[in-house]
Amino acid sequence: MKAFEATNYYIRQASKVMDLGEHAEKLLLMPEAEHNVSIPIELDNGEIAVFNGYRIQHNSARGPMKGGLRYHPTVDPDDVRSLASLMTWKTAVVNIPYGGAKGGITCDPKQLSQSEMERLTRKFVQRIHREIGPHRDIPAPDVNTNAQVMAWIMDEYSRINGYTPAIVTGKPLDLQGSEGREAATGRGVFFVTEEFLRDIGSSIQGATIAIQGFGNVGSYAALTAHQMGAKVVALSDAGGAIFCPGGLNIPELWEYAQARRSVAQYQAEGVSHIALNEVLTQEVDVLIPAALGGVFTRDNAHSIRAKVIIEAANAPTEPEADEVFAARGIPVIPDILANAGGVTVSYFEWTQNIQAFRWTEAEVNQRLKQVMADSYHVVKGLVKSKDLSWRTAAFVVALGRVARATVLRGV
Ligand code: NAD
């Protein structure tokens, strides 16, 4: 099933529970606008290369649209459409005043130098600057884009429109970024995990964890898990995977990831190297996909042995796998709830930029924890009272908020 179709499948499930009707459903499924651009740049060797770039704006009923920008060879319009839609539901689940959008450039960042990345980013902004804006659509980091890329976006947009830090979030601290933004998604994942484990009479202390992906989200999720007393026993990145039954040395591995080294080269006592996908099939308390989408399929869903799956990545579970997990009684805390910490602190960053004011890291983290815990309990209320899956319950909360805003504003 294609990514956008899979997202719409989940929306339809919630819409059925809510009895929204065909017309309202149609309105909520389709993106408001799609911008496809070509991005020509001069490579370092003097040749001209042309890349495809996308910004898809899904829904603005609840506020300016918000969503990351992904640089990856697999980026295509269907993928971006699905991710843009997920942003609408994610901002609604955590009740922050945004809609949803997503962007991407089909490219392989590993093949690009830093200056080529900069030219690519600046040219993309030149192509789409009329479509984005601090009260229209605010990009943020996603796979293979980071604070430096956000700084280039801010600078290029500001060259055209005057100084506008609120045009993008996930910026470096020296350029009006927010304390706590970089760690926010991974940290938010663990605020939700903590609530869930407490609810089932368990605890994060000593819980065993497997994490797929060790980039921004995966590394901070692992670090937070470690700080909270959990044992990360399996970990992977695109280059390799490692396993240690006694728990991996996460602070050491975190330094490793900061130096852009793959865990494939990591050596330590008690650590064995396993096949990439074996991270997913470990017998653990908590399994956290934190890499790309489409990881759980009908082919591997039966071999998952975790007690709960917490979706730190966007769209890691295909609908067929979701049905297998439901049948097997494995709860899946969906992306639109579990990884909403990033967009929540992005919202804090945007708020600080608009007010030209700074919050402390402690203030950011405390507010993040509150938002994640409150949202978790609203969704849990529906899981319990209506006997819904976590995913359907989260979509019901989100669809309700977006539908009400749409009706109040008028179609
Ligand atoms: P990133 O580029 O920083 O890291 C991605 C990681 O996944 C890297 O460690 C990479 O090596 C690894 N990876 C890629 N293919 C893999 C494979 N086959 N097996 C194992 N590991 C693999 O990206 P990120 O920002 O950490 O995003 C990860 C996921 O989280 C994405 O789905 C993204 O959409 C989602 N997300 C990110 C944020 C954010 O704030 N960055 C917020 C919400 C959701």
Side-chain angles (χ1 to χ4, degrees), residues 195-261:
E195 297 292 328
F196 179 85
L197 291 177
R198 190 183 300 130
D199 276 345
I200 61 165
S202 184
S203 160
I204 208 143
Q205 294 273 333
T208 52
I209 319 261
I211 303 180
Q212 183 200 41
F214 202 50
N216 170 281
V217 178
S219 64
Y220 277 106
L223 196 63
T224 313
H226 174 81
Q227 286 161 351
M228 287 169 133
K231 260 199 312 192
V232 181
V233 295
L235 195 61
S236 65
D237 59 26
I242 49 178
F243 175 70
C244 178
L248 291 157
N249 183 339
I250 296 302
E252 192 173 286
L253 279 157
W254 197 83
E255 294 296 335
Y256 217 74
Q258 296 310 297
R260 300 189 167 277
R261 296 167 72 188

Side-chain angles (χ1 to χ4, degrees), residues 3-16 20-34 56-60 77-78 80-89 100 395 399 402-403 406:
F4 187 52
E5 206 184 314
T7 303
N8 286 351
Y9 168 89
Y10 292 134
I11 296 170
R12 285 200 184 93
Q13 273 190 329
S15 159
K16 231 179 269 159
L20 269 187
E22 196 188 327
H23 297 299
E25 192 181 287
K26 197 170 176 185
L27 191 77
L28 298 175
L29 290 177
M30 295 313 294
E32 288 180 12
E34 301 198 0
I56 297 188
Q57 297 169 323
H58 180 259
N59 189 291
S60 61
D78 183 81
V80 181
R81 214 171 274 134
S82 153
L83 294 164
S85 171
L86 286 177
M87 287 308 297
T88 298
W89 315 116
F395 272 104
L399 259 78
V402 176
T406 306

Side-chain angles (χ1 to χ4, degrees), residues 315-327:
T317 309
E318 295 193 346
E320 296 88 349
D322 211 44
E323 282 170 16
V324 173
F325 295 143

Side-chain angles (χ1 to χ4, degrees), residues 70-72 83 87 90 102 110 140-146 181-186 211-219 235-241 257 262 276-277 279 289-293 295 311-316 335 338-343 346:
R70 177 176 289 199
Y71 290 180
H72 198 271
L83 294 164
M87 287 308 297
K90 192 179 301 185
K102 200 81 177 191
K110 285 197 207 88
D142 193 78
V143 174
N144 292 327
T145 57
N146 56 17
R181 171 61 186 89
E182 205 173 285
T185 308
I211 303 180
Q212 183 200 41
F214 202 50
N216 170 281
V217 178
S219 64
L235 195 61
S236 65
D237 59 26
S262 165
L276 263 192
N277 283 339
V279 164
L292 294 169
V295 170
E311 293 184 341
N314 282 314
D335 45 9
N339 71 29
V343 73
S346 273

Side-chain angles (χ1 to χ4, degrees), residues 70-307:
R70 177 176 289 199
Y71 290 180
H72 198 271
T74 64
V75 163
D76 70 18
D78 183 81
D79 212 21
V80 181
R81 214 171 274 134
S82 153
L83 294 164
S85 171
L86 286 177
M87 287 308 297
T88 298
W89 315 116
K90 192 179 301 185
T91 52
V93 169
V94 289
N95 211 4
I96 56 178
Y98 285 142
K102 200 81 177 191
I105 299 178
T106 316
C107 65
D108 186 355
K110 285 197 207 88
Q111 307 298 323
L112 296 172
S113 69
Q114 182 85 340
S115 59
E116 288 168 337
M117 285 274 279
E118 177 173 356
R119 289 198 290 281
L120 183 67
T121 303
R122 289 187 185 277
K123 191 66 163 195
F124 182 58
V125 176
Q126 289 163 23
R127 291 287 202 242
I128 61 150
H129 73 95
R130 286 180 203 85
E131 320 302 341
I132 60 175
H135 296 287
R136 181 185 293 257
D137 178 0
I138 307 137
D142 193 78
V143 174
N144 292 327
T145 57
N146 56 17
Q148 176 60 74
V149 175
M150 300 305 116
W152 293 326
I153 294 176
M154 191 277 241
D155 184 67
E156 195 61 33
Y157 186 89
S158 295
R159 279 173 198 236
I160 303 167
N161 296 287
Y163 184 60
T164 320
I167 179 58
V168 69
T169 59
K171 298 179 293 295
L173 280 177
D174 286 322
L175 273 182
Q176 319 303 322
S178 175
E179 296 285 353
R181 171 61 186 89
E182 205 173 285
T185 308
R187 199 172 269 154
V189 162
F190 268 88
F191 290 151
V192 167
T193 308
E194 187 182 27
E195 297 292 328
F196 179 85
L197 291 177
R198 190 183 300 130
D199 276 345
I200 61 165
S202 184
S203 160
I204 208 143
Q205 294 273 333
T208 52
I209 319 261
I211 303 180
Q212 183 200 41
F214 202 50
N216 170 281
V217 178
S219 64
Y220 277 106
L223 196 63
T224 313
H226 174 81
Q227 286 161 351
M228 287 169 133
K231 260 199 312 192
V232 181
V233 295
L235 195 61
S236 65
D237 59 26
I242 49 178
F243 175 70
C244 178
L248 291 157
N249 183 339
I250 296 302
E252 192 173 286
L253 279 157
W254 197 83
E255 294 296 335
Y256 217 74
Q258 296 310 297
R260 300 189 167 277
R261 296 167 72 188
S262 165
V263 299
Q265 280 88 49
Y266 182 77
Q267 303 286 347
E269 209 186 317
V271 173
S272 52
H273 289 260
I274 55 176
L276 263 192
N277 283 339
E278 281 184 72
V279 164
L280 303 174
T281 53
Q282 297 301 321
E283 191 167 357
V284 284
D285 295 315
V286 183
L287 174 58
I288 301 184
L292 294 169
V295 170
F296 301 120
T297 63
R298 67 151 73 91
D299 296 332
N300 67 8
H302 285 285
S303 41
I304 303 306
R305 295 186 295 160
K307 292 194 184 119

